[in-house]
Amino acid sequence: MKPSNPGVLVGLIIVFALATWGVLQELYSEIPTVPWTAIPTLLLLAIGEAYTGWLTRARILRKPDTKPVEPLAVARLAALAKATAYAGAVFGGIFAGFVLRVLNLLDLPKPRQDVIVAGGSFLACVALICAALFLEYCCRVPGKPEDEE
């Protein structure tokens, strides 16, 4: 499995932001406000993935007081990290599309609340993407030291 390409993730954010912006041009007045619960949920997921990456890296490098890690568990964590990075990019694009749509309506209360919540959710998605990329990095098999080659 190859590492996630940050360019693809940015592309997904842009495509979904533009698609969401386009859909909201017609439907924004008919939908409810953006829920604030996405922010803590995404941040907790990001913290969990970053912590898992930190623990996994220590176990792969066989640091003192750690148990060796099962290779299949590392492969599953790498797959989780890759899936989370892509899902974070998709949802980040959706939240960015909300922000783009309501930027010109900030004098109204509902759009003002939506831009704050969607902006915070977008930042939480970025944190989740970074944590997923970190976990993916931590799942790599360490190479030989340069003096052994």
Side-chain angles (χ1 to χ4, degrees), residues 102-112:
V102 297
L103 273 180
N104 60 347
L105 304 172
L106 290 179
D107 53 332
L108 301 171
K110 179 187 174 206
R112 189 177 319 120

Side-chain angles (χ1 to χ4, degrees), residues 26-128:
E26 299 295 324
L27 299 176
Y28 179 70
S29 61
E30 299 171 16
I31 61 172
T33 59
V34 179
W36 63 270
T37 54
I39 298 170
T41 303
L42 292 168
L43 289 176
L44 284 173
L45 287 171
I47 291 168
E49 285 208 21
Y51 183 69
T52 301
W54 179 67
L55 290 177
T56 303
R57 191 71 182 159
R59 291 177 70 186
I60 287 175
L61 295 175
R62 299 195 179 174
K63 299 235 173 156
D65 300 326
T66 61
K67 292 189 270 183
V69 65
E70 292 288 325
L72 187 57
V74 175
R76 288 178 178 160
L77 286 174
L80 171 71
K82 195 167 187 87
T84 305
Y86 283 97
V90 168
F91 284 108
I94 291 170
F95 289 124
F98 263 93
V99 171
L100 290 174
R101 171 60 183 105
V102 297
L103 273 180
N104 60 347
L105 304 172
L106 290 179
D107 53 332
L108 301 171
K110 179 187 174 206
R112 189 177 319 120
Q113 178 186 355
D114 280 348
V115 77
I116 292 169
V117 173
S121 298
F122 172 75
L123 293 176
C125 283
V126 170
L128 181 62

